[in-house]
Amino acid sequence: MAKDVIVACDFADAKTTIEFLDKFENNGRKPFVKIGMELYYAEGPSIVREIKARGHRIFLDLKLHDIPNTVKKTMAVLSRLDVDITNLHAAGTSAMMRAALEGLTRDDGTRPLLIAVTQLTSTDREALENEILIKEPMENVVMSYAENAKNSGLDGVVCSPLEAAKVHEVCGKSFLTVTPGVRFADGDKGDQKRVMTPHEAREQGADYIVMGRPITAAADPCAAYMRAVHEFLEE
Ligand code: C5P
């Protein structure tokens, strides 16, 4: 799959989401859409089907983490929704990741891409050491989880654009890096701390950038989206 800009549709309901996507009706390029927990838990699978029917590709960001059998059966349900990318927590172990892949693979051998969350960017060193009781430096933890994901057969990881180049070095160029924490150079950072511009993320080799508020809260979301596409894909 080629590089792309994914728009995080972090809205509370279907109505707001569809009103937002309506703004792209006459845009030549339909955004790749990320549906997260808030929207999915509010509206259920119907919102996935509706957005898919409108011609968007979908990253279903539900971050599964449970025993292998439960994750396998849940992934089988998600694969019927025909999303393009979905994900889980690498902390669920290699056994869980392999089970997830099995569940996600349809009878004809096709499946959505499956990527892993390594460590959430909201987890800092202190929490890692004092609560999760991992004493290793954060970068080692992220790279080790990325390697586990790769060895389990997954397609890539969600990571900071600052980690994309290192993940490619450790796991190979074809292992996908999907990176949130992207902001325009002249934009508001919001609650994101370590950010990069779409152009910088491109230079780091990120495969997909995820942008939410810089596009969803822009006065002209289409223009903001096309700016991200232009900067990231140099189109
Ligand atoms: O609005 P903003 O561009 O910050 O949105 C980023 C999106 O990426 C949100 O949906 C957020 O939940 C998600 N995300 C993130 N950092 C991670 C993992 C996911 O910002 N480490």
Side-chain angles (χ1 to χ4, degrees):
M1 217 190 262
K3 294 191 177 224
D4 213 343
V5 174
I6 301 179
V7 180
C9 287
D10 294 323
F11 298 115
D13 55 42
K15 185 172 174 287
T16 320
T17 309
I18 297 304
E19 277 170 12
F20 171 74
L21 292 177
D22 276 345
K23 298 188 166 98
F24 293 86
E25 269 301 285
N26 297 319
N27 195 54
R29 198 174 210 287
K30 293 217 174 183
F32 199 130
V33 166
K34 180 169 91 74
I35 301 175
M37 286 189 234
E38 183 187 10
L39 185 58
Y40 189 79
Y41 290 146
E43 301 288 351
S46 65
I47 187 65
V48 177
R49 291 193 194 99
E50 189 170 352
I51 295 176
K52 193 83 197 173
R54 294 169 72 99
H56 297 271
R57 287 193 289 161
I58 296 177
F59 168 20
L60 187 58
D61 178 20
L62 298 182
K63 301 187 178 71
L64 270 60
H65 188 172
D66 208 319
I67 60 171
N69 185 54
T70 302
V71 170
K72 178 178 169 179
K73 292 199 295 190
T74 307
M75 285 295 182
V77 172
L78 297 184
S79 82
R80 293 201 288 275
L81 281 178
D82 197 23
V83 297
D84 299 276
I85 306 178
T86 192
N87 64 355
L88 45 63
H89 274 282
T93 76
S94 300
M96 188 199 78
M97 290 193 270
R98 287 194 303 270
L101 269 184
E102 261 183 59
L104 203 58
T105 307
R106 305 180 187 104
D107 290 344
D108 64 1
T110 63
R111 63 168 176 81
L113 293 173
L114 183 61
I115 61 176
V117 175
T118 55
Q119 277 293 333
L120 291 171
T121 43
S122 51
T123 306
D124 59 14
R125 250 220 79 63
E126 202 187 324
L128 191 72
E129 206 169 315
N130 300 332
E131 291 187 44
I132 311 177
L133 302 184
I134 295 176
K135 309 292 177 196
E136 288 278 322
M138 184 66 84
E139 190 186 274
N140 294 4
V141 179
V142 170
M143 295 310 149
S144 170
Y145 280 7
E147 279 188 291
N148 291 347
K150 182 174 163 59
N151 294 336
S152 303
L154 268 68
D155 303 293
V157 286
V158 181
C159 64
S160 155
L162 294 116
E163 295 159 352
K166 182 79 185 170
V167 168
H168 280 144
E169 205 181 297
V170 172
C171 298
K173 279 265 179 284
S174 59
F175 193 65
L176 300 174
T177 52
V178 179
T179 69
V182 179
R183 291 290 179 266
F184 294 118
D186 53 2
D188 183 5
K189 277 199 206 173
D191 52 1
Q192 297 281 11
K193 294 197 173 69
R194 300 184 308 146
V195 298
M196 277 194 171
T197 66
H199 179 75
E200 287 165 342
R202 175 194 170 87
E203 287 189 329
Q204 292 302 310
D207 295 290
Y208 292 89
I209 54 170
V210 176
M211 289 181 89
R213 289 158 294 179
I215 294 171
T216 56
D220 184 345
C222 265
Y225 168 68
M226 292 312 291
R227 178 180 174 190
V229 166
H230 179 70
E231 282 190 27
F232 184 58
L233 302 176
E234 291 187 345
E235 271 181 13

